[in-house]
């Protein structure tokens, strides 16, 4: 691990200003960042510890919905009675996402910001545009079983590993931030993660030093909420394919996919056209798929998983 400096700011404004310097990174639970630092994939010059900030509560919003502090631990979020009652897809995604030990440390903001688990990203002897821009992508002609079939580019075929983000996407969550200059903004989760394009190392729309302070959930939408995760083993593993679905009594549906792209994958226009037909909805979601020989199996896997989830939710 490379040497670094460290501080614990007392306010969100101080934290954002401290992280604005080149080479600075926020740290909270550290469940992803510390591993990457040990492997020297991440080599921050300065760590800004945000654990003392008052961002660890879940509050009801005046207009309905919930405001989830950035430091709320995954265990506490999954167990909250309001989340279990009104946002069941989120609880299910969190429980499917990691072991109890990790959920006890991992934070809401950190979950959204975790980096890909592509093996070539973790192997510093291999070229990876996400780790070292311009070096190439070893995954494209290498072992790509877990990699993207949607939204990829010639520069990167990595996937986003977050289960929670897929549920947040189907719930139309928003992300509240504060910038180093003190200004704030609200980012729809649909716009938060970037597709790789020519700059796969730029993974979100956050600016240097911009701090996530909360995730906002809209008023409950009701319906049957399902999270289905298909993985190589029943114990905690990253998704080959996951499906987050909200199926409403009026026949409408919301569906987001995980394990298939650089961000949670959702196509609202397809939901409007094929809300009552899982097979055709799957075809619409996969219309622009570009699988590799190693991960072409994800096409029928998405199809079967989505049909199964919709049949379960409509039963």
């Amino acid at each position: 691990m490379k040497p670094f400096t460290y501080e614990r700011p007392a306010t969100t404004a101080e934290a954002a200003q401290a992280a604005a310097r080149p080479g600075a990174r926020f740290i909270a639970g550290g469940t992803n960042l510390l591993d990457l630092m040990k492997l020297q994939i991440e080599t921050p010059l300065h760590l800004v510890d945000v654990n003392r900030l008052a961002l660890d509560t879940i509050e009801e919003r005046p207009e309905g919905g919930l405001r989830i502090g950035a430091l709320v631990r995954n265990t506490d979020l999954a167990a909250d009675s309001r989340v279990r009652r009104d946002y069941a897809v989120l609880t299910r995604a969190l429980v499917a996402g990691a072991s109890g030990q990790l959920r006890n440390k991992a934070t809401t903001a950190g979950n959204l910001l975790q980096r890909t688990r592509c093996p070539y990203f973790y192997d510093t002897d291999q070229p990876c545009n996400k780790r070292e821009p311009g070096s190439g992508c070893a995954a494209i002609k290498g072992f790509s079983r877990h990699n993207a079939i949607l939204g990829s580019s010639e520069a990167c075929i990595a996937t986003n590993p977050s289960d929670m983000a897929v549920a947040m996407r189907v719930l139309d969550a928003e992300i509240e931030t504060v910038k180093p200059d003190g200004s704030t903004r609200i980012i729809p989760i649909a716009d938060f993660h970037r597709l790789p394009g020519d700059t796969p190392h730029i993974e979100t729309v956050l600016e240097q030093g911009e701090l996530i302070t909360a995730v906002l959930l809209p008023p409950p939408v009701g319906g049957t909420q399902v999270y289905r995760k298909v993985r190589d083993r029943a114990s905690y593993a990253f998704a080959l394919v996951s499906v987050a679905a909200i199926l409403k009594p009026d026949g409408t549906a919301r569906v987001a996919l995980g394990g298939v792209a650089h961000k949670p994958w959702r196509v609202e226009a397809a939901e409007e056209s094929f809300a009552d037909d899982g097979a055709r909805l799957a075809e619409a979601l996969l219309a622009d798929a570009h699988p590799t020989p190693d991960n072409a199996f994800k096409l029928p896997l998405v199809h079967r998983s989505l049909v199964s989830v919709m049949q379960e939710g409509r039963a």
Side-chain angles (χ1 to χ4, degrees), residues 62-86:
E63 65 273 32
L66 297 175
R67 182 181 186 273
I68 303 165
L71 294 177
V72 172
R73 306 293 161 166
N74 286 179
T75 293
D76 296 329
L77 181 57
D80 186 270
S81 60
R82 295 160 295 185
V83 175
R84 294 177 64 186
R85 181 188 66 226
D86 297 326

Side-chain angles (χ1 to χ4, degrees), residues 22-34:
R25 289 292 306 273
F26 294 116
I27 187 167
T31 57
N32 189 202
L33 179 59
L34 290 178

Side-chain angles (χ1 to χ4, degrees), residues 196-218:
D198 296 328
T199 55
H201 60 290
I202 305 175
E203 298 174 352
T204 72
V205 298
L206 293 178
E207 301 173 9
Q208 179 66 36
E210 189 169 6
L211 174 68
I212 296 175
T213 52
V215 172
L216 308 176
L217 294 182

Side-chain angles (χ1 to χ4, degrees), residues 158-175:
T159 56
N160 185 296
S162 174
D163 291 280
M164 186 193 79
V166 183
M168 293 290 194
R169 179 68 180 91
V170 85
L171 289 167
D172 286 328
E174 296 177 318
I175 296 152

Side-chain angles (χ1 to χ4, degrees), residues 21-76:
R21 71 180 71 175
R25 289 292 306 273
F26 294 116
I27 187 167
T31 57
N32 189 202
L33 179 59
L34 290 178
D35 285 342
L36 295 174
M37 290 174 65
K38 291 173 184 177
L39 295 169
Q40 295 189 15
I41 294 167
E42 292 265 13
T43 55
L45 302 176
H46 185 67
L47 287 185
V48 180
D49 186 341
V50 296
N51 281 294
R52 288 184 177 173
L53 305 182
L55 301 174
D56 59 351
T57 59
I58 303 173
E59 303 168 327
E60 295 183 13
R61 302 170 68 192
E63 65 273 32
L66 297 175
R67 182 181 186 273
I68 303 165
L71 294 177
V72 172
R73 306 293 161 166
N74 286 179
T75 293
D76 296 329

Side-chain angles (χ1 to χ4, degrees), residues 106-307:
T107 62
T108 299
N111 196 313
L112 289 173
L113 293 171
Q114 62 180 306
R115 306 198 69 187
T116 186
R117 264 54 178 196
C118 176
Y120 297 100
F121 174 70
Y122 275 80
D123 186 348
T124 55
D125 290 329
Q126 299 291 330
C128 173
N129 288 318
K130 187 177 287 292
R131 176 172 24 85
E132 186 179 348
S135 63
C137 176
I140 290 177
K141 293 185 178 180
F143 179 73
S144 54
R145 174 178 171 79
H146 286 81
N147 290 84
I149 60 173
L150 290 162
S152 58
S153 71
E154 294 183 359
C156 182
I157 60 170
T159 56
N160 185 296
S162 174
D163 291 280
M164 186 193 79
V166 183
M168 293 290 194
R169 179 68 180 91
V170 85
L171 289 167
D172 286 328
E174 296 177 318
I175 296 152
E176 177 189 282
T177 72
V178 61
K179 297 182 181 181
D181 63 4
S183 63
T184 62
R185 64 169 169 162
I186 303 295
I187 307 168
I189 193 167
D191 301 328
F192 182 73
H193 296 102
R194 292 165 48 105
L195 292 177
D198 296 328
T199 55
H201 60 290
I202 305 175
E203 298 174 352
T204 72
V205 298
L206 293 178
E207 301 173 9
Q208 179 66 36
E210 189 169 6
L211 174 68
I212 296 175
T213 52
V215 172
L216 308 176
L217 294 182
V221 297
T224 300
Q225 301 186 15
V226 181
Y227 189 75
R228 177 76 56 81
K229 181 177 182 178
V230 183
R231 44 195 166 184
D232 279 328
R233 63 178 190 270
S235 185
Y236 296 103
F238 296 101
L240 294 170
V241 164
S242 64
V243 178
I246 300 176
L247 307 171
K248 300 182 70 176
D250 63 4
T252 59
R254 297 184 186 182
V255 174
L257 302 177
V260 296
H262 210 250
K263 61 189 293 184
W265 195 260
R266 184 177 171 199
V267 181
E268 283 88 339
E271 297 169 2
E272 295 173 5
S273 299
F274 307 116
D276 60 347
D277 189 331
R280 295 183 70 186
L281 178 54
E283 290 176 6
L285 288 169
L286 297 171
D288 297 321
H290 295 285
T292 69
D294 282 344
N295 64 24
F297 72 92
K298 289 191 178 186
L299 297 173
L301 188 57
V302 167
H303 185 281
R304 293 166 186 164
S305 299
L306 180 53
V307 169

